[in-house]
Amino acid sequence: MSHMLKGIGASRGAAVGTALVIKERPADVQEKRTDPIDPKTELAGFENAVQTFCAKTEKMAQKLDETGASGEILRGHILMLKDPFMLSQITEQIQNKISAVDAVTATCNMFAEIFAAADDELTRQRAADVQDIKTRLIHILNGEEETDLSDLPENTVLVVGELTPSMTAGMDSAHVCAIVTEKGGKTSHCAILARAMRIPAVLSAAGVTESIQTGDLVAVNGGTGEVQIAPDAQTVAAFEKLKAEFAEKEAVLQQFKGKPTVTADGKVKELFANIGSDRDVQEAMENDAEGIGLFRTEFLFMDRNALPTEEEQFSAYRAAVTGLKGKPLIIRTLDIGGDKEIPYLGLKKEENPFLGFRAVRYCLQNTDVFKTQLRAILRASAFGDIRIMLPLVTCVEEVENAKALLHAVQEELIAEKIEFNKEIPIGVMIETPAACLIADLLSRQVDFFSIGTNDLTQYIMAADRGNADVEYLYSVYQPAVLRGIQHIIACAKEAGIPAGMCGEAAADPYLIPLLVAFGLDEFSVSSNAVLEVREQISRWTVDAAHEIADKALALQTEQQVREYLKTVV
Ligand code: PEP
Ligand code: MG
């Protein structure tokens, strides 16, 4: 009988195929060893296993590179395993007469627990990577074969508890029409790889490895997260239609790959991507982003026990900019506070964290933290086109003070004969009503603007971006927000500096004609929206966009604006 399950739609597209259910043998059952443990033999075995692991992983990474996806995630596994702390934990345990298998299990479990307890989704997902490393190392130590997915029948819907990066790499991807898992979120590596390979995927669908049997017919919608088991003929037809529509849309989008971003009348725009880690650069490049318009560096500071060192930050920034191969990288300085907490900074609990001691306010009072970050950014600027961006600016003094600190750091680097770009551009995010109202003054202080609509909307509307009860107010179609955006771009134009937008609204198809009319120069969106935004921008001439913007701005209410835009876009 037909039966529907729901998970997270993590890679868009639809498919109907035959299920292959993989039930992984749990690798972390305690070893039942009765023989005495000889640390020397165990250690040699472990070292051998590490070597085999690295060699195999590098091979898989190369294979992934060849298929057009990136092998970097797997290379990250080699780095994780070779982390001195990880290695020393394992070897220490072996020296204490614990078997290699148990030492690997305990250490990986410890790391996975630390990651899984993290507040941010991105770090939580790294727990899956550690589990993947663990399972594979144990298989190698036990001399067992790893799950082989390299030869699959056509139209396979892969159903698995958790699809690990290594499984994905070894997978016969041409014959996999969809992936369904019990675990994993939108930012898990499985999700990233599925999107890169353009395979529809539904993750975190509870109980799928039990409710689906190998051989079952399964219909999957990777957009909505729907999984239909044993669908009837009507459902199959509906999914096949969806699949065809998606393929058609995808084919159109693919035509925009490698093309410049231009309006229908030839106005060139910049189309960048937002990232939260240097590892995301690859996905941005695969989606043909022309640069990075927002590197949210706070992720480097989150889910750890101490501040990242200058060296750690420098390597992340350098990795990001070298990965961009000459394309620009806008690094936003630390934006903590509000909804982003960092326990080890020991910040006081605040009555109104969104209005409190956060972002550039914190950095200007904690100059040691700020200067370390600026030093790391400046040092990385010797390796590519890096620009600095300050978050949550509300007054000119903040920019002046930040620039003074930047100059001080530059002087230090000159004295130390360390290379950096002396002309590094500095810009501000316009995401507070204050910054919007003094955009003319700020425009004379900086090299560029980037509008943070996520915060700008909440502050203009005085409606918490995370509070469902006031969601009806939290909308970029509110006349107040639209006027704000128009004003900010006009001030940038007046001063002759580029205006960008890195809030979610930059990818909103209904807003794009308005942004074209206002003269926005740069759109920075999530990697998977890049081609769609390029296609949307190509639809509008500046004149047609103006016509729509004039009408939209003459309307009185959010609902009128929203409904009007839906009729013309
Ligand atoms: C914004 O506020 O629009 C923005 C891009 O920054 P964040 O979402 O990180 O606050
Ligand atoms: Mg913001």
Side-chain angles (χ1 to χ4, degrees):
M1 226 198 33
S2 155
H3 176 48
M4 213 263 281
L5 283 170
K6 191 109 186 67
I8 299 172
S11 175
R12 282 180 299 175
V16 182
T18 312
L20 171 67
V21 184
I22 310 277
K23 292 195 173 154
E24 272 284 275
R25 189 182 64 81
D28 54 354
V29 276
Q30 267 245 328
E31 266 211 314
K32 289 187 189 63
R33 291 262 299 256
T34 44
D35 54 322
I37 308 267
D38 169 26
K40 247 193 176 156
T41 326
E42 290 295 311
L43 212 51
F46 171 65
E47 278 160 10
N48 262 332
V50 171
Q51 274 189 15
T52 312
F53 176 94
C54 295
K56 274 186 156 183
T57 309
E58 180 51 41
K59 254 202 197 141
M60 287 197 261
Q62 280 169 15
K63 197 174 149 208
L64 261 192
D65 287 339
E66 284 160 20
T67 63
S70 161
E72 283 316 299
I73 288 171
L74 283 171
R75 292 195 179 93
H77 285 192
I78 299 180
L79 291 180
M80 258 196 208
L81 176 59
K82 286 194 162 170
D83 177 86
F85 184 56
M86 178 106 148
L87 283 182
S88 68
Q89 287 285 313
I90 299 173
T91 44
E92 234 171 70
Q93 291 188 42
I94 297 177
Q95 273 149 1
N96 287 331
K97 298 206 163 145
I98 291 176
S99 75
V101 168
D102 284 346
V104 166
T105 307
T107 307
C108 289
N109 284 350
M110 176 188 82
F111 274 91
E113 267 171 38
I114 296 173
F115 286 138
D119 283 335
D120 85 288
E121 171 69 10
L122 223 57
T123 310
R124 268 202 306 275
Q125 296 298 343
R126 297 298 77 84
D129 293 280
V130 183
Q131 296 293 2
D132 191 9
I133 296 174
K134 178 181 78 181
T135 312
R136 294 191 46 224
L137 262 181
I138 293 174
H139 282 316
I140 297 171
L141 282 166
N142 289 337
E144 296 161 350
E145 280 298 317
E146 296 186 50
T147 309
D148 184 10
L149 301 175
S150 62
D151 188 16
L152 299 171
E154 225 171 292
N155 252 359
T156 297
V157 175
L158 202 57
V159 181
V160 57
E162 184 163 30
L163 190 69
T164 62
S166 61
M167 270 193 221
T168 325
M171 180 174 86
D172 174 10
S173 56
H175 291 155
V176 175
C177 67
I179 295 167
V180 181
T181 73
E182 297 204 356
K183 282 195 197 160
K186 271 197 172 155
T187 51
S188 66
H189 280 152
C190 166
I192 295 171
L193 287 167
R195 288 195 292 268
M197 294 180 174
R198 306 200 174 276
I199 300 174
V202 173
L203 310 188
S204 282
V208 275
T209 55
E210 293 305 322
S211 42
I212 302 179
Q213 309 297 322
T214 293
D216 281 352
L217 189 68
V218 180
V220 180
N221 183 339
T224 60
E226 250 177 278
V227 180
Q228 292 274 357
I229 307 167
D232 55 25
Q234 216 178 347
T235 314
V236 170
F239 271 72
E240 291 289 0
K241 187 164 167 256
L242 258 179
K243 181 177 157 186
E245 282 167 5
F246 184 82
E248 208 174 298
K249 199 170 159 214
E250 198 52 19
V252 171
L253 290 185
Q254 287 306 309
Q255 289 171 10
F256 284 85
K257 223 170 188 170
K259 300 271 167 59
T261 305
V262 279
T263 60
D265 53 348
K267 252 212 150 347
V268 179
K269 302 289 178 190
E270 281 182 307
L271 181 51
F272 293 170
N274 297 344
I275 57 169
S277 145
D278 53 292
R279 291 188 303 251
D280 301 340
V281 165
Q282 197 64 34
E283 196 194 353
M285 293 289 273
E286 279 157 15
N287 283 286
D288 206 24
E290 296 157 26
I292 300 299
L294 169 64
F295 182 168
R296 290 184 162 98
T297 58
E298 51 278 8
F299 288 115
L300 290 174
F301 290 72
M302 284 178 174
D303 305 308
R304 37 187 303 143
N305 299 320
L307 287 163
T309 61
E310 179 184 322
E311 276 322 298
E312 280 175 84
Q313 292 189 60
F314 166 66
S315 10
Y317 305 149
R318 186 183 54 183
V321 81
T322 48
L324 282 163
K325 304 193 174 21
K327 294 176 173 177
L329 167 65
I330 299 180
I331 301 182
R332 174 172 75 184
T333 58
L334 183 58
D335 185 11
I336 39 116
D339 52 345
K340 301 165 195 150
E341 222 186 312
I342 301 185
Y344 62 81
L345 293 180
L347 292 172
K348 282 201 306 266
K349 271 261 169 274
E350 296 180 302
E351 287 279 335
N352 290 301
F354 276 115
L355 305 181
F357 188 50
R358 49 172 301 205
V360 75
R361 304 170 181 188
Y362 171 86
C363 287
L364 290 171
Q365 298 288 320
N366 290 275
T367 50
D368 46 343
V369 176
F370 196 28
K371 282 171 85 175
T372 302
Q373 182 172 39
L374 292 174
R375 260 183 84 97
I377 297 174
L378 282 171
R379 285 175 54 200
S381 74
F383 296 86
D385 180 354
I386 289 184
R387 306 166 192 181
I388 298 176
M389 180 160 78
L390 306 171
L392 207 84
V393 165
T394 53
C395 58
V396 168
E397 296 92 306
E398 285 169 343
V399 182
E400 285 175 343
N401 293 341
K403 284 206 289 195
L405 282 170
L406 182 67
H407 288 145
V409 175
Q410 290 177 329
E411 290 303 322
E412 278 174 30
L413 292 178
I414 291 171
E416 293 169 46
K417 298 198 167 34
I418 296 176
E419 294 263 332
F420 65 95
N421 172 15
K422 300 196 176 59
E423 309 289 311
I424 192 161
I426 179 160
V428 284
M429 289 195 67
I430 306 287
E431 53 180 346
T432 64
C436 171
L437 290 167
I438 58 159
D440 57 331
L441 305 180
L442 291 171
S443 70
R444 290 175 219 142
Q445 293 284 335
V446 296
D447 301 305
F448 63 91
F449 280 170
S450 186
I451 307 173
T453 48
N454 305 343
D455 276 320
L456 186 66
T457 307
Q458 82 160 341
Y459 290 126
I460 286 189
M461 295 309 298
D464 186 333
R465 69 196 252 188
N467 184 340
D469 293 336
V470 291
E471 205 183 270
Y472 69 100
L473 291 168
Y474 184 88
S475 161
V476 278
Y477 308 131
Q478 284 285 354
V481 181
L482 292 180
R483 288 183 193 195
I485 294 171
Q486 185 185 32
H487 173 72
I488 296 161
I489 300 170
C491 289
K493 298 259 142 253
E494 179 74 27
I497 60 166
M501 180 176 283
C502 58
E504 293 301 309
D508 180 346
Y510 298 113
L511 201 69
I512 285 174
L514 270 58
L515 300 177
V516 167
F518 298 160
L520 192 76
D521 301 292
E522 173 242 299
F523 295 70
S524 193
V525 302
S526 68
S527 286
N528 57 13
V530 166
L531 292 177
E532 232 169 292
V533 171
R534 185 171 292 149
E535 192 259 335
Q536 288 291 337
I537 291 174
S538 78
R539 293 177 179 214
W540 303 102
T541 63
V542 176
D543 282 349
H546 267 297
E547 214 170 288
I548 291 174
D550 288 349
K551 287 198 180 126
L553 283 165
L555 297 169
Q556 309 262 317
T557 67
E558 191 267 352
Q559 191 186 350
Q560 285 168 358
V561 173
R562 188 163 26 91
E563 283 174 1
Y564 166 66
L565 291 175
K566 287 202 169 149
T567 63
V568 288
V569 176

